Every structure is written in structure tokens, then in C-alpha cells.
């Protein structure tokens, strides 16, 4: 037999074994069946695979990993394929099996008194939010992709979102995991203890590792009290630096109740209102530093209805804004007076990515900075972007120092001529100078792998390679993502 | 030369090199100078060392590590020696150098607007609390040893304490570290970003690793708004299960303001009041399930003084207690009406360890359980402890499921005859059955190393060994602690 024939025979044997483990109906090999699993939401990444397998239990995942380890076949763990960095699609040059966790999607248990639930990796985020709500609690992780992303993918990318300022990233919400390691062994750490100092923290090592160190199959998460009153508003702040002061003041005055503190300057609002003509700017005039704010409270005293029909918590926010105005920190402000007005503010915020994308060609930076460095970074970056012919469109989760900085184009036809590499290179140097991160919440995957080599501290990069080689010596777990060994 | 002579010559060469790095005044070799560094607070552990060295910079730490790595000498990183598991004392059988971080104790910077500070490992916890307070903020980590423990030790043991229920363990407060790895390379991850998804989480791997994977030399921590009103009380709850419901209700009603929720049943209160006759029980009668509670708020509206001179937040807590009493969840309650009364409640809580220790021989279990399993565990454990002749004295941070369960003795003279191994073995089996942890917040060190072999899941233990061998292939970083390779 030729080498090619030998490979084909080997692949067939692997497929046969996969069928035995997960069932033939859940072992896809036809190109048309596999197509959807071999590309992601961005449309930028396409891969090839021997098979796509959909295990229904942790035991099946373990058996699949053992099989692939024995045959030196790459494993690509896959959630909802909503990642933005190509982390869930196979790379070229390796025989790969895509392991879709979609059938491993049960909510195993929910402890109302202990305020935790144990969920499987393939559960869709929105389903988890709904289950928590049914039990009078909140699972606060949320972002645009919630209807299709899975919690396993959220864990593997340590997903963020708009209320990290109050509840933290996915990492901070998770208090236990179950996972299959590259040798097929299973780690069962689902006790959900708030305190447990018995050894190295393996959970945090697997969270955010993009499936390169093992496959997270289930996790325990904290649940939170359901807010009974909310106040949502839009502020025109006097400067980006003043915005940090405003955030701190509102945090102090509300007892840390800020759930969203979203930077929405005028250029971003303009693009949204142009692309979606039914959306109107929340404040009149040119709002250079616009902030969409939401505070929420579970205290019944905050939900009290006042004599004039207003809600106490909303009144308190208005009072705070009055003070901030007197102090010159904010110039103008509005507080939503109805659920409809609140919905309009959220629609404004949530339309931004679609609006920017529809408005023309664009390159997105997902970056973070120490709060004190945001203003000088934006100033220098805007100046250089404009000089090079780009239109900077910045929005961001300001409370976490996370900016989504879009390099758009004032004239779509000129896009190809614009010096994209030059402006990116400028951005990354500037970020380094200001102690920023070149990937705040989207991760590394394939798209930012090269940047790791140039921007990550060499000692940390070396440590990552030591960890990857030790835990996955055959380099079978999602190779070509996050770290090169 | 004989082997012993050779060793002695080598040791002398090492000492000479240490003197060059850190200065002769900071390289202790006389037994009388070293004595204090070779034992810890418990008095149970004593070690030997070639030298105790006190570097003053991260660079010096790195040079010391490189030297020891080249000579295959064990390094024992040391903070305030207040650990309870022997993690900071050298073990027998290895030539060791103790690296005391005591001189590396600067507060490098404090960012009032960004609410973070960068501190060095040797800084004493209480000094950090005071520095935060001077800046109008709170560094919430706190426990009895705060006056002498160092933040590096707190990080390495992932220390807990009484307000974890609100702020988390040391791990959750830390948003960046600087560390020296076993090859002497330095990791500088002190940007303090709230979001940074660029690679594996090395920070969480080093936190809680008890110095076995590297030496943390500095860290960035979150700071919090200073509460402007507090309400502190003592509750007689109808059962341990009811206590969880009480905690949840108070959390919801106060918007998550619970800072302490400490389990203090009657037997513990009795011991305290017997050992310290000036301390009086906060409630009359037999309080089977006593809870010391504190809530705190930074909201000015909560600090408002009412017409009768009381504080609004305290009134609200009284109202909540009234409701909980009507619902049968609590039987009796008091709320401190003055700072003095508050101080008395805290003195009661903080006297417990000393009281139990003074009252006679005792063995301490530092354990945690899922909240739902606390009541059945305590019931079974108490029964068996009593049957075997022990007096169970339990207190704990109930909000985190963390119990300090003391096996004391009703008759001190009989202690040596009591079946301590039998009751411990029963406790650990029972913990396993109830998904508990045998070390909630004190760590492993030397004292619980053997338990790791019998109680830790084999796959997790294997993973720990893989990590230790990969990161510290020569096993020079604090050998004989936490993990055996």
C-alpha cells in the first residue's frame, strides 16, 4: 500500500471507532454534513476534518480523546462557533477530528439555596440565563452571541461582555469544572466550593486556554439575586478622564450597583443612527464622551414607587447626576423613564457592531488599558488613525478598561489602499507603551497567534510553551491555536 | 577532600555568592540569627538552612534563584511565618536557602481613580489596609494574623478570612503578579488589566501554589469603596439550613452587602466566655445556631441619621430581622447600637481561636462544604466526635461554607488516650462523601501533604505532578510542600 492508502485505511479505522463511541448518527463524515462545523461566525476560517463527532457524555469525550491520542490525530473542541479569532476551526496540515459539545448540553443541577448550577459545556448561554431566571436568580454572563454561543466556548475563551464591571468575566463566575485532559483522564472538580486550597488551580489553567490543554465538559457557576429595580441612562461626560471619576462616584453612591458603563462617543452614535434610521441619539448636540449607564439593585427599598409614580432607585440616580453636573463632571444626562426607553438605549448599544460592519470595511481592535491610560491612548491613536486616512470608531466597556476600537474607512472604495498594517503596528506599539492588552476579551485563536510571538513577554511565552508541552506532549489538543510549540 | 568537606566548601561558595547579591548584612548564617526564620507560628515545624537571605529587589531574588538552581539547592520562600501548615519552613534532607521577602515590602504605586495598588510581596497586610484607608478606599483582605503576615504569603496560600463572602479570597482580589520562576526568569504581569485574554493564566497557577512553582515578588490588587455605614448583629437562627435562607434573604434585601456571616454556636460562645470572663454572650439562653452578621454600605442614603438618632441602614437590618422572625427563620436577634457594641461582637468572634487553644488540647479541621451539605455533615460529625469522647467546637465562615471544626477534649488529662486518628479518618471520609474539602483556606504545606495522596482525585494529583515537574524540573522551589514529585 502507498502512504496515502495507509493513511486512508487508518482514517477509516478511526471513523469506525468514533462511530462505536458516539454512534454513527453522531459521527459526521460527509462534506455536506460537516460543512457548518468547519467554518465559524466570522467566515474567515475554514478547516478540514476526518470527522465531526458529537459525544453525549463526558465518558464518550474521554474515549474519543484516548482514541485520537493513540492515533496522533488532532482534536478541535467546538462550541457554538461564535468566536472571533478562529479558535474553533481546524488548522491546515493535521488530520483533525472536530469534537462538537452540542449534545453535552444538560443543566445537571441547580441549587437555589446555594445559588449555583452545574451545567454541561454544550449548553447555550441564553438557555442558562433563562433557567436561572425561572428560579428567581440571575446568571449574569451576557453578550450579543448569547442565543448560539455555548458555555464551554465561553469558558475556553474567558468571554467578557457588558456587565463584567459588576460580575467579572466568565472566569470569575465559574467555581468548578469537569474536564477531559489530553490523555483522556477526567478531572472532576464540580463540588462548587467557595474555598478549597488543596493544590494547584487547574480550573483557571483550563479556563481561557481555548481547548489547547483539555476539553471542559461541565462547570459550576455562581448565580446572583435578581435585581428588582434598574435605572438606565445616557450621560454626556466632560472628558474620558472625568468618566472614570463619574464611574467611581456612581459606584460609591449606589453601593457598587453599576452593571454597564459603556463608552459611546458621538462618531459611533452617528454611524448607528445613519445605518438604522429609526434609532435616535439619546441626547441632543455633539456628545464627545457619551456613556450608557445601567445600575441595578435587588433591594426592595430601591424598588419603592414614589408619590409621583417614579421609582426610588431611578430618583437616586437622577440626584447623583445632578451632583455630578454641579461638579462639572457631566454636561448633560437622561434617565430612561420607561421600559421602552430603556430598550431603546440597549438597542443603541447592541447595534454598534452591526452598524459599523454595514457601514463599510473595517478592522476591529479588541483592546484593554489601565483606566488612567485610556484617555492618552485614545488621543494618540485617533490622531494617527486620522492621519493615515482611517475613521476611528470607538466604543467599549469602559468600566473594565476594554475598548472596541474600529479602524473604519471614510471612503469605502479607498479601503484597499489604506495602510492597514502600518496603523495596526502603530496601535500595538502604542498599547505596549501604555501597558495595554492586544486581546481583551476575544482571545487568540488563529488570528492573533502571530501577535503573541511579538507582543507577549518572552518569559510568559516560554512558560506557556512549557505548560503546553507538559500537559499535551503530543500536541493533539486544538493545535495551532493560542500557543506554538 | 571528603564528600562532607566538598559539600562544606560548596556551601561556603554559595554563601559568598549570596552575600554578593544581597549584601552580607542580609545573608544570615549564624544559628542564632537564623533561628526565628526556621520555625513558624505553630511551633510545630523546625528546619535547617545554609543561609537566610533577605533580598531587596526582584532582580536580587532572580539572582538568588539562578544561583540555587545552578547549585541544586532548595529555595524556601518566606513571608510572615504565620501559616498553619508548615509551608514556610525548610524540610529535612535538602540543603536549603530561606528567601525571606521581608525587605521587598514597598507599596510601589496606588491608583486612586483606577482603584488598584501595586505592592511587593513582603508588605505586611495591615500596612496595606492602612495605606488603602489613607486613600479613602478599602483593601478588604483581613484575618487575625494581619499584623505580621505578608501579602506574598497571603497570595501563596490564597488566604481567606471573614469577609470572603463579599470580596472573595486573596486570589479574587489579585489582578496581576510579578514573579521569579525556578529558572530565575522574571514574569512581569503588573498591568492590572481587568480583561486580558492573551494566553494561559499563569497568575492563578502561582497563587495558592505555596511557593512550589516560583516566588511571587509583587502583585496588583483591587481596592474598594469605603463603607460609610455598617450594621452588625447576632442572630439565633432556627437551624443550620435556615441559616442559608437567612443569608440569602439578607443578601437580596441589602443588595449583597453582607461582609461577615459567622457561625458561632453556643458551645463555642461558652468556651470564649469561660476563658475570657469579661466577654458576655450577645443573646440570652441557649443559642444553638448563632450567627454573627455584618452588613456594610457605601451609599450615603444608608448612612442617613434618622429622627430618633439611629442610622437608616441599621434600621433596615432590624426590619429585615423582624420579617425573618415572623417567617420563623430566626428566633432572636440583636443589632449593635454603638461602635462599642460592634467591637464587643467582633471581639467575641476574634477570640475564638485563642479561647479554644487556651481551653485545652485540640485538633483543628479547616474544612469547607457545599452549603446544602453543612447541616448533615455537622450532625453526623458531632455524633461521632461525641461518641469517641471529643468535644466538638465549631465556628466558621458560613457564607463560604467554611467551617473551623475543632476536636477538643472535655477532660484534658484524657487527651492522649483519645482516638485522634480514628476521628480524623472518620472526618475525612465523611467530607469526601459530602463533597467537601479537607483544606478550605489554610493550604497544604507539610501538615496535609499525606492527605493529598489519599484524598485528592488521582487525575488532579497527576496533573499537579506534571505541572511541578515541568515548571520546576530540579525540584528546588519549596520542595516537600503541597506536592510530592
Amino acid at each position: 500500500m502507498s502512504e496515502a492508502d495507509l493513511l486512508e485505511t487508518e482514517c477509516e479505522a478511526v471513523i469506525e471507532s468514533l462511530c462505536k463511541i458516539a454512534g454513527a448518527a453522531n459521527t459526521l463524515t460527509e462534506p455536506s454534513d460537516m460543512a457548518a462545523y468547519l467554518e465559524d461566525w466570522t467566515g474567515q476560517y475554514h478547516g478540514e476534518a476526518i470527522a465531526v463527532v458529537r459525544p453525549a457524555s463526558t465518558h464518550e469525550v474521554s474515549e474519543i480523546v484516548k482514541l485520537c491520542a493513540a492515533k496522533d490525530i488532532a482534536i478541535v473542541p467546538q462550541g457554538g462557533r461564535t468566536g472571533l479569532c478562529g479558535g474553533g476551526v481546524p488548522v491546515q496540515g493535521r488530520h483533525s477530528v472536530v469534537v462538537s459539545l452540542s449534545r453535552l448540553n444538560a443543566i445537571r443541577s441547580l441549587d437555589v439555596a446555594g445559588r449555583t448550577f452545574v451545567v454541561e459545556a454544550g449548553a447555550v448561554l441564553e438557555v442558562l440565563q433563562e433557567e436561572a431566571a425561572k428560579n428567581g436568580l440571575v446568571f449574569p454572563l451576557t453578550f450579543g452571541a448569547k442565543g448560539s454561543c455555548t458555555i464551554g466556548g465561553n469558558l475556553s475563551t474567558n468571554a467578557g461582555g457588558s456587565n463584567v464591571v459588576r460580575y467579572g468575566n466568565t472566569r470569575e463566575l465559574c467555581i468548578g469544572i469537569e474536564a477531559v485532559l489530553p490523555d483522556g483522564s477526567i478531572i472532576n472538580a464540580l463540588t462548587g466550593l467557595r474555598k478549597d486550597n488543596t493544590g494547584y488551580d487547574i480550573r483557571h489553567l483550563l479556563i481561557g486556554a481555548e481547548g489547547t490543554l483539555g476539553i471542559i465538559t461541565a462547570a459550576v457557576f455562581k448565580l446572583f439575586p435578581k435585581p428588582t429595580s434598574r435605572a438606565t441612562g445616557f450621560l454626556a461626560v466632560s472628558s474620558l478622564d472625568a468618566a472614570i471619576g463619574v464611574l467611581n462616584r456612581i459606584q460609591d453612591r449606589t453601593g457598587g450597583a453599576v452593571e454597564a458603563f459603556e463608552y459611546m462617543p458621538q462618531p459611533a452614535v452617528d454611524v448607528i443612527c445613519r445605518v438604522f434610521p429609526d434609532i435616535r441619539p439619546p441626547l441632543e448636540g455633539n456628545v464627545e464622551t457619551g456613556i450608557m449607564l445601567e445600575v441595578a439593585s435587588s433591594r426592595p427599598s430601591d424598588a419603592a414607587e414614589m408619590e409621583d409614580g417614579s421609582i426610588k432607585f431611578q430618583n437616586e440616580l437622577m440626584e447623583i447626576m445632578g451632583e455630578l453636573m454641579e461638579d462639572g463632571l457631566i454636561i448633560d444626562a437622561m434617565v430612561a423613564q420607561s421600559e421602552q426607553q430603556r430598550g431603546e438605549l440597549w438597542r443603541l448599544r447592541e447595534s454598534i457592531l452591526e452598524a459599523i460592519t454595514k457601514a463599510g470595511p473595517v478592522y476591529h481592535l479588541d483592546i484593554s488599558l489601565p483606566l488612567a491610560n485610556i484617555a492618552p491612548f485614545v488621543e494618540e491613536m485617533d490622531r494617527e488613525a486620522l492621519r493615515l486616512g482611517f475613521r476611528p470608531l470607538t466604543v467599549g466597556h469602559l468600566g473594565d478598561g476594554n475598548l472596541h476600537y474600529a479602524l473604519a474607512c471614510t471612503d469605502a472604495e479607498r479601503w484597499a489602499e489604506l495602510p492597514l498594517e502600518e496603523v495596526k503596528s502603530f496601535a500595538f506599539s502604542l498599547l505596549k507603551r501604555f501597558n495595554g492588552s492586544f486581546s481583551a476579551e476575544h482571545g487568540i485563536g488563529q488570528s492573533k497567534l502571530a501577535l503573541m510571538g511579538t507582543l507577549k513577554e518572552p518569559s510568559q511565552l516560554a512558560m506557556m510553551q512549557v505548560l503546553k508541552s507538559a500537559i499535551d506532549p503530543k500536541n493533539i489538543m486544538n493545535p495551532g491555536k493560542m500557543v506554538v510549540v
Side-chain angles (χ1 to χ4, degrees), chain A residues 234-283:
Chain A
F234 200 92
L235 324 180
V237 182
S238 58
S239 70
L240 256 174
D241 273 338
I244 311 299
V246 169
L247 171 62
N248 287 337
R249 281 278 280 280
I250 299 176
Q251 288 286 35
D252 294 354
R253 295 291 308 260
T254 61
V258 175
E259 301 222 331
F261 197 80
E262 302 287 296
Y263 179 46
M264 301 205 66
Q266 193 66 42
V269 173
D270 285 344
V271 168
I272 299 168
C273 295
R274 204 168 55 242
V275 173
F276 301 105
D278 61 315
I279 299 183
R280 300 181 55 109
L283 291 173

Side-chain angles (χ1 to χ4, degrees), chain A residues 10 12 56 62 77-78 81 131 142 155 164 259 293 303 341 345 347-348 355 359 372 381 415 423 436 455:
Chain A
E10 280 229 350
E12 274 166 23
S62 165
Q78 197 177 81
R81 296 187 300 280
E131 185 68 16
T142 196
L155 283 164
V164 170
E259 301 222 331
L293 165 80
Q341 277 196 345
L345 285 176
R347 179 146 177 256
L348 179 78
M381 189 65 221
W415 177 254
V423 77
L455 295 172

